[in-house]
Structures are given as C-alpha cells and as structure tokens.
Amino acid sequence: MEKKFNANEIKLIAIAAMTIDHLTWVFFPGLQTVWYVYALHIIGRLTAPIMWFFIAEGCHYTRNIRRYIGRLFLFALLSHFAYDFAFGIPFLPLSTGVFNQTSVMWSLAWAALLIRICSEERIPQWAKNISILAASLISFPSDWSSIAVMCPFFLYAHREDFRAQARDIVLWSFLYASVYFLFLDRAYGLLQIFTFLTIPILSRYNGERGSWKGMKWFFYVYYPAHLLIIGILRIMLHGNISLIF
C-alpha cells in the first residue's frame, strides 16, 4: 500500500532539507559545483515548495486569517535578523543590492495577505490587481523573491487540483531559475529546477495535520534558532564574510 504523509511529516522533510542546505552554505561558502556540494544543495530544493504549499493550506484551514497573517509578519521580522546574520548580509535591506536581502518568510507573509485580499468579494478587481503587483514588488528582494508570493497564491487558487498545483510549482520555479540563469549565475539557476523533486512528496499528502499539534510552534522557533547557529558557525569558520551572493 502506498505510503501517505500527513502535514507534520512533510514539514519535517522540509526542515531536514533546509538544515542540510544551510549547513552546506556554511561549510562550503558560495555555490561550489563539486558534485557532492551541489547534491546537498539539490536536497535543499525540497524546502521552498513545501513552504509554499502549506501557506496555501494554512490560509484555507486557519480559524483566524488575520491572526495567521499577523503571526507570519512578526515571524518574518524576527527571521530577517536571523537570516542576515546567518549568511553575512547587512541588516539594512537593499544596502548590498536587491537579491537575498531577507528571508523567504517576508514573501510568505505577503503571500498570505494577498490570498486574503483576493478572496474578499467586496474588494474590486482593480484593487486586487494592484495588490498583486504591490506584493510582488515589495517581496522581490527576499530569498526566492516574488516567486514565493505568486506560487502560494496560485497553489491556493488550485486547491483540490494537484495536477494544477504541480504545474504551478514547475512553472514558477522555472521562471525563477531562468532569471538567475540568464542574468546572475547559471549553476544556481539550474539548481532551482530541482524543486520538482518535491512534487512526488506533496502528491502523497493525505490532507491531515498529524497528531502532534506543536509542529506549528516548533517551526516558528526552529527557523530563526537554526539560522543563529548557522551565523555563529560562519563567524567561527570564516570570519565576517558573506556565504551567498
């Protein structure tokens, strides 16, 4: 019988993959294309689509969407300092460019807000269109950029249709990969294509949360905490250098 995963189990996969990816950055700074380093980063590509998917699920299942969105923005604020410390990025956004200035949590918070706005029938379509543009622009400097806004938005719109959701993951990841490949770094651009490896995992989602109710709070604590440890390791091993471009 085919194994099915609940939400807690899939989130644990994301946490493990994320930790492997971040440790790889600190032990092998920059994107090294040695096969085993690249393979470890490929494992890390499992994380982002799982986050996108469960933002869409969270917006659907939450009992209080306003509190959910507020919690995400608070989490994004705290994670900004942990993320920048981890990878050697100045805390002041845009001081070193427009890419990777803050964590993906900033984009995910805007994704949830955008889902809320566009789900409200009383809001006119023109205002929703402006909200989509605004959310994409303001999230552009974060990790995974505005892709981490738009993909959860479409995943929410396509709930109950996993084939459409799988296409969303592939298409938005391909767009992100193309930008990096054409304008920044070809090896890093190609790396993003491997987000498709998440699709077989998400296809086995059984729609259940899992028995442990503490997973939500565990992730909220684990994400910034592990980044602080990454930052300490960075300083100990390399000094105050940047680990990513």
Side-chain angles (χ1 to χ4, degrees):
M1 184 176 180
E2 188 180 65
K3 166 69 175 176
K4 293 289 186 178
F5 300 116
N6 60 45
N8 286 348
E9 291 169 332
I10 295 177
K11 289 176 182 178
L12 283 174
I13 293 173
I15 288 170
M18 174 183 67
T19 304
I20 290 170
D21 187 54
H22 290 170
L23 285 172
T24 303
W25 282 112
V26 78
F27 287 116
F28 304 97
L31 184 63
Q32 300 184 26
T33 53
V34 181
W35 73 267
Y36 54 86
V37 177
Y38 206 75
L40 291 170
H41 283 306
I42 287 174
I43 293 172
R45 298 314 96 189
L46 296 175
T47 303
I50 292 175
M51 288 182 171
W52 304 339
F53 183 87
F54 282 105
I55 285 294
E57 289 293 287
C59 288
H60 176 76
Y61 284 111
T62 185
R63 296 178 181 178
N64 190 319
I65 188 65
R66 292 183 180 180
R67 288 184 181 178
Y68 181 64
I69 294 169
R71 190 163 61 241
L72 285 172
F73 273 106
L74 177 60
F75 183 40
L77 177 62
L78 296 174
S79 296
H80 167 73
F81 297 99
Y83 178 86
D84 285 3
F85 173 65
F87 296 108
I89 302 167
F91 291 143
L92 181 64
L94 306 180
S95 59
T96 57
V98 295
F99 295 103
N100 292 318
Q101 297 293 294
T102 191
S103 81
V104 68
M105 299 306 159
W106 177 244
S107 291
L108 297 181
W110 281 100
L113 179 58
L114 185 62
I115 289 169
R116 174 69 180 88
I117 291 171
C118 292
S119 298
E120 179 54 65
E121 295 181 357
R122 293 174 295 178
I123 297 177
Q125 187 60 47
W126 64 265
K128 294 178 181 179
N129 293 338
I130 291 175
S131 298
I132 292 171
L133 178 61
S136 296
L137 289 174
I138 201 169
S139 64
F140 187 83
S142 71
D143 184 23
W144 282 100
S145 194
S146 48
I147 300 301
V149 172
M150 297 311 301
C151 195
F153 177 75
F154 277 87
L155 289 172
Y156 180 85
H158 294 148
R159 287 193 78 258
E160 309 295 338
D161 184 353
F162 186 75
R163 287 188 177 182
Q165 289 182 317
R167 288 195 297 269
D168 293 335
I169 291 172
V170 171
L171 290 175
W172 287 106
S173 296
F174 181 77
L175 177 60
Y176 183 77
S178 298
V179 171
Y180 258 96
F181 184 86
L182 293 174
F183 301 108
L184 294 166
D185 185 274
R186 290 186 176 183
Y188 191 76
L190 289 173
L191 181 65
Q192 311 317 313
I193 299 297
F194 289 95
T195 53
F196 77 88
L197 295 175
T198 311
I199 293 172
I201 298 171
L202 292 174
S203 70
R204 288 168 172 77
Y205 174 50
N206 62 11
E208 299 176 1
R209 180 178 62 184
S211 59
W212 186 41
K213 297 181 180 180
M215 172 56 77
K216 173 179 67 176
W217 300 110
F218 173 74
F219 185 75
Y220 285 144
V221 173
Y222 182 86
Y223 184 77
H226 99 282
L227 288 174
L228 289 175
I229 294 172
I230 293 293
I232 293 170
L233 288 173
R234 173 180 66 87
I235 297 295
M236 291 175 60
L237 293 173
H238 311 292
N240 192 23
I241 67 167
S242 177
L243 298 180
I244 59 177
F245 44 84

